[in-house]
Each structure stands twice: as structure tokens, then as C-alpha cells.
Amino acid sequence: MLTSVIGFPRVGSLRELKFATEKYFRHECTEIELRQVAHKLRRAAWQRQREAGITFIPSGDFSFYDGILDTAFLFDLIPARYRELDLSELDRYFAAAHGYQGEKGDVKALPMKKWFNTNYHYIVPEIEDNAHFHLAGHKILTEFAEAQASGILTKPVICGPFTFLHLARYMGRKGVADYIEEAAQAYAELLQNFAKLGAEWVQFDEPFLVHDLSAADIACFTALYEKILAAKGSVKILLQTYFGDIRDIYPTIMAMPFDGVGLDFVEGKQTAALVEQYGFPADKILFAGVVNGKNIWRNHYAKTLKVLQNLQSHGITTVVSTSCSLLHVPYTLAHEQKLPAEVKKHFAFAYEKLTELRELGDLAENPAGEALARNEEIFDGSRYVPDQAVSERVKQIRDEDFTRQPAFAAREKRQHAEFRLPLFPTTTIGSFPQTQEVKAARKKLRTGQISAAQYETFIRDKIQRCIQFQEELGLDVLVHGEYERNDMVEYFGEHLSGYYFTEKAWVQSYGTRCVKPPIIWGDISRKHPITVAWSAYAQSLTDKPVKGMLTGPVTILNWSFPREDISLEAQTRQLALAIRDEVLDLEANGIRIIQIDEAALREKLPLRQSDWYKEYLDWAIPAFRLVHSGVKPETQIHTHMCYSEFTDIIPAIDAMDADVITFEASRSDLQILDALQANHFRTEVGPGVYDIHSPRVPSVEEITEALQKMVEKVDTRKLWVNPDCGLKTRGETEVEQSLQHLVAAAANMRKKYQNKIDTQGQR
Ligand code: GLN
Ligand code: ZN
């Protein structure tokens, strides 16, 4: 059986692309040098896949920042503010990706959003009314030719027009329907170019098809593809779907002349049933997504072979494929020196998944292979040893444990009296710059060059300076700076039992940012207090309140590789109990404000709206409440969320029953404020007043203006002033200037609004 990979990771197994790109940003290397690194990485990926025996190897899946942004540039959908910048093509691209501030101008980045239900973030194209959708770039063509030159015939991969048009944001009067004609024409032209270059297959990624689709959506899809398919000439088209099943459009697609259709058998709950019910036409090839592109557990061959053999028995021509791009898993287990062999044998990262594809392909033809027996040994049931104490505790949770007393309105009053903060209280989201110095200290601790005591002294010194710095800036609610953490999930995982960690298993989160998700292996419990000493020390240095800083259970789950042998709900509940212990310990140690970050709350929200509550929110939101329901009324609970649409789940967010929520808003033009207002949101809010994912420094006027827009939509007494996320990726100078501006803007607002509030300026 032939094998196919939907997409491959691109940052490099040791994050070579990240380091080269960041060097380029710092003007420490030239564009040519950066391009050479990129070229080497692409070639290595193709060769690796060829050596593993993959038939359909992707090209065009490489990106300097993001594939959707690449598509926008390919089709010339570039907002005027970037087009007008007098920069090189690559710098213009980076300006759109993460903003530009320099002698050539000052522009903000395009918005960034979560890529479906993953922790990857794509850049949202902005389409202006005068945009003309046409083929203008050549990156994807060049990369195909580049592979060809190294002797590899690849399958170019492009985000399909249906998904692209639905992910874009329309800045004027036009919408998706207005671009169908032009888009179809542009993609058709792209296909003609591929035909000339000698491509056999082109893969069109259409993950948007796994949503609930209306009749209008289906009509839009058919209108686009009728034209594209009519123009395909000698090139074969693979319509690739992933992240779910395509129940609303399956029969329609089967009736269209696609040469191959890629279906997800891992997340697509109804995929097998759809094939069973409607059949699969003999003129097409089914690319069966059976190797999980999102999780790191070994494939259970016996189970997967049943799926493949069933397809074969229906006479369906089948290719073994990944379920989605391998972008969402780390590169290779080969870099993991510390994981015990007994543990490692249960995992498969991208390289190992290539072997799985090959072995499954072979086994589908010859099920007697020795690889099957080896695989079966891994699944002998000996892996998991339950933790009785955890099961006991979970059983004892009562209904009341999910509700904090008294209700929000009463708490809000008591907290205002307790803290006596000014109007527009200023704060930050938690982390301060993780400078080279901080990273170096952690590395020295890891490699034994400094003792634990020396490391502690170092961190305490950083905390002390951070507190002093914030006091000098005049912020109202302080943080300790999170210097002790590498990552907001891994750090907690390291202090919980039930986890395993990797050394080099990086996964791209956005642009040059990668994360290293820990692996949930067994039942979770807290071994000992985690953050209490750091927070208590920070609080001892100041009279202002210092926020305790925790990561919430849903985010810990969503940014870990979860178990597949128990439900997500069960894993989240165990995590919630562990973090609850930490909340109560912080409170007992004099911390009066505790922020529980749920940055990734939305990540596993089902893509079909009809499943939102029953499959996810009905347990995820209560899990958050379980974490904080035990605190005193005066203790203020904050939460923080970033990079996702919230507008449609606002009632659920309110039901988290936090006292204050801060969130990303600056990159999406504060659209969320209307939704808060429409939903009578009660929780106090701190919509981020500037974008921390960009190095540019916002001016006082800009921040004041953002706040001005906010007071029009949000009760002034409920408004907080803060950046849109943690500052760990930023430089110290930018942070100092940005926060000075933020404090000054809040002061402007206070002056203006103090008299209008009948509480003598008190909240
Ligand atoms: N408290 C975390 C920080 O400040 C939150 C990070 C996040 O939301 N991604 O870094
Ligand atoms: Zn954030």
C-alpha cells in the first residue's frame, strides 16, 4: 500500500529555523544565509521521508512564518499598509507576520488565531475591497522545483480556496462570495504552472470542511472546485481534509471528479460510517488518515489494520496517510536521552510515524509481518498502574465543590473594599522577559554548573528587581515575573506526578515560537507546593498586591500530550484537584490575588458547534471552577486567555466565575467588546491594550485611544489595563517603554473619568 504525509514539521529537529530567523530579525545574518538554512531543512525533510519509503511527500509545507500568510502573499492579498512599506519582499512578509517599527514606517502585525483545534496559530489574512485575488507569487512553485532538482518528485500542498476564503477577514463590504470567481481562476492558474513543472499530484488542504456546513457553504465549495477541477489538465487533485469528518458534504464530494480524497479516521468520528453508508467511488483514491498527526502514542497496528482491511475489502484503492500534518508533533525520539526505554517504546514522533506509515502499508498487504508482533507487545496492558489515592479523591468530589460562594456581585463589592484600587487598575499578565541571563541560569542548574541554592539566589534577585521595577513604573497589581519557569505548562507538569518530559521535543506554536508539551503518562497529583515560595517572597517585598500565577487544568491538559486510555474529562479533573491544592496554599500564605491562566481554554472546543457543550464545555468550565471554589470571598481570582475567538463562548467564559479576566484583544481590533456588552458579561475585564507578540512599542496616545474605545463598551469600574499576554518573549527595553506608556495612558484615563464616577475615584 502506498503512503502519504500531509505535511511535515519545518522548524528543524533542533529548531534551526527559529534560531536563524531570530538572528535575521536581529540583523545578525543576511537574507541569503537565512534562505540557505531554510533550503537545507527542506531538503533534509524530503530526504528523510524518501528514505522512510513515503510515496506522497509534501512540498510547499515549509514556511518562514505561517502557511496561510504564505497563501495570502502567493495570491497578492496583502493589505496596503504592508504593500506601501519600502521593504524587501521577505521583510514585508515579516512585517505582516509580526509588525514593523523602524525607519521605513510603523505598522502592526496581522491578527493571529488558533489553527482549528490545535496549538498552532495562523496569521489571519485581511482582504481589502480593492484586493485582486490573482497568482502573484512563486514560493510554492520554486519549492516544488527545488525538490525536483534534488531528485524528489513531491506532492505540492496548498491551503485550498474554500478554507482560505473562510479564514480570511474582510475589511470592507466584500465577502467570501465576491471572491469565488477570482480565487478559482487563480488556483486554476497555479495548477497550470504545476502541470508545466511536471507535478503529478497537488494536495488542496480543506480542513474547513469538517465544520457544520450550510447549504450556502456547500454551494460555495462546489462553485470553487467545479472551475478548478475543469482546469486541472494532467495534474491529479487530492482533496485533503483533517481534524474531523466531513459528514455535511461527503456525498457531494464523492460525486465530483477529485482524483483522491483524504479523510481523517482518527478525529473523524463518522468517517468510517460515511464510507460505509455512501461508499467510495472506484475512480478515486482514498488517502486514509490513520496515523495520528496530533498525539505521540504509538499506533496500535492491529486496530488500524482492521480499518485498512475493511477499506480494501470494499475494493477501495487506499493510501495510508497521517491524519493531519505532522506539524503538530515533535521531530524525533532520537534526541531523547533521558526517557527510559520502557517509556519511549510507547511513543512515536514525526520520524517514527514515517516508519509506522511504511510498516502499516506493508502489513496491509502482508499481515503476517514481524512488525505486527513487535507492535502488539507494546499493547500488552502493562503500561498503566492506577494511583488509588487519586481515584479516591476524584470520587469524593461533591456538587458544591464546583461553585464558589458567595456569588460574583457580593464578592466584587468586598474585593473593591479590600484592595481599594484606583479606576483603570494596571497590571501585567505574569511573565517578564526571559533574557539570555535567565535561560543561562536554568541551563547551568540543569547541567550542574550551579547548585540549587545558587539558582534560588539568582531567581530571588530577579524577583526583587522585578518588584522594584514595577513599583517604579507605578503598576497597581504586581507579579513576580515567572523567572523560574521555562514554560507555563511544562513547569507545572514537572511538579506533578504522572508526567514525563522530553528534552528536544519542540512543536511550533506560531512563527519562531515553539513549545515542548509534556506527556501525561499516568494519574496526576501534586507532590508538593509548586509556586508558593516564589510568590510569598515577592509579596514580602511590597505592600501592593502580588498576583499568584498558576496555569489552569484545561490549559495544562490542552498543552500536554494527553493519555488515550482514559477520557480528557477524567484527566482534567485530576489536574483541577492538583491546582486547587496550590490555590489554597497560596491563599494560606498571604497571596490575595491569584491568576489561573486558561490561555488554551478553547483549544479542544469541538469544531462542530453542535458538540460544544455536551462534548467539552460541560466538563471544562466546571473543572476550572473546581480549582478556585475553595477560596475566601476577598481573594480575587483572575484568569487569562489568548489567541482565540471568544465572542461565541462568552457565556461559558462568564460561567468560569473568575473575578477578573484578561485577554488578547489588540490584534483583533477590540471586536470582542461588542460581544461582551451584548452578553451582559459580569466578570471584570482587562482586554489587552497592546500586542506583546510584536517588538514594537505602543505610544501613550495609541493605548489611550484603545482604552477610550473600551470605556464606550465596558463599565468603567470593571475595566483593567494590561498588555495582551505575558512579556517573556520581549526585550527588557521594549518592555520598560511599553509599560511606561501603559501606566501613563491609564493615568490619562483616570484624570478624565474620575469625576464621572460617583465613588470619589474609588472603584
Ligand atoms: N502568565 C503567563 C505569562 O505571562 C501567560 C502566558 C499565556 O497566556 N500564554 O507568560
Ligand atoms: Zn496569553
Side-chain angles (χ1 to χ4, degrees):
M1 212 177 253
L2 304 182
T3 51
S4 176
V5 169
I6 293 178
F8 207 67
R10 55 207 182 200
V11 288
S13 76
L14 297 169
R15 293 180 294 163
E16 293 88 338
L17 183 66
K18 168 198 171 69
F19 296 120
T21 311
E22 287 174 350
K23 246 179 154 175
Y24 178 75
F25 291 162
R26 294 193 303 266
H27 308 288
E28 289 166 14
C29 80
T30 64
E31 176 172 339
I32 295 177
E33 286 165 324
L34 174 60
R35 288 193 184 276
Q36 274 162 354
V37 172
H39 170 69
K40 254 174 83 179
L41 288 171
R42 286 192 292 266
R43 211 176 38 199
W46 293 323
Q47 272 164 0
R48 166 72 57 174
Q49 293 175 80
R50 184 168 64 181
E51 279 156 25
I54 302 303
T55 327
F56 295 94
I57 299 173
S59 64
D61 53 344
F62 171 83
S63 179
F64 277 115
Y65 207 94
D66 168 57
I68 299 298
L69 183 62
D70 294 349
T71 312
F73 270 68
L74 178 71
F75 294 119
D76 207 17
L77 300 167
I78 308 169
R81 63 181 184 279
Y82 308 114
R83 229 176 317 123
E84 285 156 10
L85 281 176
D86 175 26
L87 293 174
S88 71
E89 196 183 313
L90 185 65
D91 286 348
R92 180 170 306 141
Y93 171 86
F94 282 135
H98 75 162
Y100 174 87
Q101 192 171 41
E103 52 199 35
K104 304 284 173 62
D106 184 357
V107 285
K108 287 192 203 173
L110 284 171
M112 184 154 85
K113 264 192 197 150
K114 272 194 188 301
W115 176 243
F116 295 83
N117 51 2
T118 73
N119 182 27
Y120 177 72
H121 304 75
Y122 70 97
I123 300 287
V124 184
E126 285 182 356
I127 303 188
E128 294 167 345
D129 272 352
N130 59 4
H132 169 39
F133 199 128
H134 70 119
L135 183 63
H138 50 77
K139 171 187 170 290
I140 188 175
L141 295 160
T142 317
E143 286 172 13
F144 173 78
E146 185 184 285
Q148 218 172 10
S150 58
I152 300 176
L153 179 68
T154 54
K155 161 199 70 171
V157 174
I158 176 103
C159 174
F162 181 73
T163 296
F164 182 84
L165 288 175
H166 281 88
L167 295 182
R169 196 171 151 209
Y170 297 86
M171 308 311 286
R173 290 156 178 268
K174 289 191 182 170
V176 176
D178 299 296
Y179 288 99
I180 293 181
E181 206 61 45
E182 282 183 12
Q185 182 58 40
Y187 277 84
E189 200 183 318
L190 181 67
L191 280 178
Q192 283 143 17
N193 279 286
F194 273 123
K196 272 190 230 142
L197 288 174
E200 272 175 30
W201 283 84
V202 175
Q203 172 182 315
F204 281 64
D205 282 0
E206 290 288 10
F208 208 86
L209 293 174
V210 310
H211 288 112
D212 292 323
L213 300 179
S214 65
D217 293 330
I218 296 175
C220 167
F221 178 86
T222 36
L224 282 163
Y225 277 95
E226 267 165 11
K227 295 204 184 63
I228 295 170
L229 287 162
K232 75 186 167 91
S234 60
V235 179
K236 294 195 173 79
I237 296 191
L238 163 58
L239 178 75
Q240 184 65 57
T241 67
Y242 42 84
F243 300 146
D245 62 65
I246 53 168
R247 64 187 81 152
D248 297 332
I249 198 170
Y250 184 90
T252 312
I253 285 173
M254 292 306 133
M256 294 173 77
F258 290 106
D259 303 278
V261 179
L263 301 175
D264 181 350
F265 284 79
V266 173
E267 278 190 273
K269 275 177 279 172
Q270 291 189 19
T271 301
L274 287 166
V275 176
E276 199 65 44
Q277 186 183 350
Y278 297 101
F280 192 89
D283 67 341
K284 298 187 199 330
I285 300 177
L286 197 168
F287 287 67
V290 290
V291 170
N292 193 340
K294 271 195 187 164
N295 210 345
I296 45 72
W297 299 90
R298 279 229 96 98
N299 190 288
H300 194 169
Y301 288 177
K303 284 191 187 156
T304 304
L305 286 172
K306 280 205 188 107
V307 175
L308 296 175
Q309 282 154 358
N310 183 44
L311 296 173
Q312 282 171 313
S313 72
H314 284 67
I316 299 170
T317 313
T318 309
V319 170
V320 198
S321 170
T322 55
S323 67
C324 61
S325 168
L326 295 175
L327 181 70
H328 311 293
V329 290
Y331 270 80
T332 174
L333 280 163
H335 295 324
E336 303 304 323
Q337 311 297 329
K338 292 196 184 144
L339 285 177
E342 271 308 293
V343 169
K344 233 169 152 172
K345 73 174 188 197
H346 291 277
F347 304 147
F349 297 171
Y351 289 177
E352 294 79 30
K353 284 176 191 283
L354 298 177
T355 309
E356 291 191 334
L357 285 168
R358 189 59 270 143
E359 289 184 347
L360 282 165
D362 293 343
L363 287 168
E365 312 221 309
N366 173 20
E370 173 258 342
L372 183 59
R374 257 189 292 124
N375 182 264
E376 204 49 39
E377 272 170 31
I378 302 172
F379 294 90
D380 65 358
S382 64
R383 187 190 77 75
Y384 167 56
V385 186
D387 180 333
Q388 290 310 333
V390 173
S391 336
E392 246 342 279
R393 213 175 150 202
V394 169
K395 257 190 244 147
Q396 276 163 20
I397 301 174
R398 302 155 305 162
D399 281 352
E400 325 56 295
D401 295 331
F402 292 101
T403 311
R404 185 175 171 197
Q405 297 296 352
F408 175 78
R411 294 190 321 253
E412 191 181 29
K413 256 199 212 114
R414 284 170 77 162
Q415 289 166 15
H416 282 185
E418 165 86 10
F419 294 106
R420 306 187 65 79
L421 293 169
L423 275 177
F424 304 103
T426 52
T427 190
T428 61
I429 307 303
S431 58
F432 269 73
Q434 289 262 329
T435 53
Q436 284 312 324
E437 183 202 17
V438 175
K439 289 182 196 156
R442 202 154 40 235
K443 190 162 178 191
K444 280 187 197 152
L445 174 71
R446 216 170 40 232
T447 53
Q449 285 166 270
I450 57 171
S451 66
Q454 281 170 312
Y455 179 71
E456 185 173 324
T457 309
F458 171 81
I459 299 287
R460 284 166 77 101
D461 179 58
K462 293 299 293 180
I463 292 176
Q464 190 256 319
R465 285 165 199 263
C466 187
I467 294 288
Q468 194 185 342
F469 175 63
Q470 294 171 82
E471 283 195 323
E472 281 163 10
L473 283 167
L475 288 160
D476 300 305
V477 172
L478 314 190
V479 297
H480 75 287
E482 301 184 25
Y483 297 106
E484 76 288 1
R485 307 184 188 174
N486 39 358
D487 173 274
M488 63 188 285
V489 168
E490 191 180 40
Y491 177 75
F492 285 91
E494 278 168 359
H495 293 271
L496 298 172
S497 44
Y499 264 103
Y500 271 111
F501 305 91
T502 54
E503 292 163 80
K504 301 269 157 64
W506 297 97
V507 177
Q508 189 177 19
S509 171
Y510 66 87
T512 59
R513 176 131 185 96
C514 300
V515 293
K516 199 151 56 70
I519 300 167
I520 304 183
W521 174 265
D523 291 336
I524 303 286
S525 62
R526 190 185 70 148
K527 296 185 243 183
H528 43 72
I530 304 171
T531 63
V532 178
W534 301 126
S535 288
Y537 172 64
Q539 184 63 82
S540 75
L541 301 169
T542 176
D543 293 333
K544 291 192 168 172
V546 176
K547 283 194 275 191
M549 201 52 68
L550 305 175
T551 305
V554 185
T555 296
I556 298 186
L557 175 93
N558 286 347
W559 284 351
S560 301
F561 289 115
R563 285 164 66 176
E564 289 181 341
D565 58 337
I566 66 169
S567 71
L568 296 177
E569 174 178 2
Q571 295 173 67
T572 310
R573 204 165 269 202
Q574 294 178 0
L575 285 162
L577 289 173
I579 302 301
R580 179 182 169 97
D581 293 345
E582 187 71 11
V583 166
L584 294 174
D585 275 346
L586 281 170
E587 185 184 56
N589 283 277
I591 304 301
R592 300 183 299 156
I593 303 186
I594 301 169
Q595 178 173 313
I596 307 161
D597 290 328
E598 281 294 13
L601 181 80
R602 205 188 152 103
E603 192 158 306
K604 287 200 166 64
L605 188 71
L607 294 172
R608 289 177 188 276
Q609 193 155 359
S610 41
D611 295 338
W612 281 3
Y613 278 87
K614 64 179 191 305
E615 284 189 10
Y616 186 69
L617 294 171
D618 281 348
W619 55 261
I621 302 296
F624 182 85
R625 291 203 305 262
L626 179 60
V627 174
H628 68 80
S629 65
V631 299
K632 294 183 287 200
E634 293 79 14
T635 300
Q636 192 170 62
I637 297 294
H638 289 216
T639 187
H640 165 74
M641 292 175 64
C642 44
Y643 285 123
S644 42
E645 282 279 348
F646 315 89
T647 37
D648 44 9
I649 55 164
I650 283 174
I653 295 175
D654 225 5
M656 291 165 82
D657 204 21
D659 299 306
V660 180
I661 174 167
T662 58
F663 50 84
E664 183 271 331
S666 59
R667 264 192 175 198
S668 41
D669 285 347
L670 304 170
Q671 286 162 337
I672 189 177
L673 299 177
D674 295 313
L676 292 177
Q677 199 178 28
N679 285 280
H680 308 290
F681 198 67
R682 328 158 291 158
T683 315
E684 295 191 1
V685 290
V689 295
Y690 77 89
D691 173 18
I692 64 90
H693 299 82
S694 157
R696 69 183 285 284
V697 174
S699 65
V700 180
E701 294 70 38
E702 194 176 321
I703 300 177
T704 311
E705 209 177 292
L707 287 167
Q708 195 58 56
K709 279 194 202 149
M710 291 177 196
V711 291
E712 283 159 25
K713 308 265 163 94
V714 175
D715 180 349
T716 318
R717 282 161 304 193
K718 283 186 185 282
L719 200 57
W720 287 65
V721 181
N722 44 263
D724 71 352
C725 196
L727 302 166
K728 65 175 160 237
T729 57
R730 295 276 60 91
E732 284 176 324
T733 332
E734 294 143 51
V735 163
E736 177 165 11
Q737 291 170 2
S738 301
L739 292 180
Q740 271 164 357
H741 294 177
L742 178 146
V743 170
N748 284 345
M749 294 298 285
R750 267 172 218 157
K751 241 182 263 150
K752 186 161 168 198
Y753 285 88
Q754 216 131 37
N755 301 330
K756 299 195 183 153
I757 304 280
D758 58 10
T759 50
Q760 293 109 31
Q762 280 295 329
R763 297 167 76 243

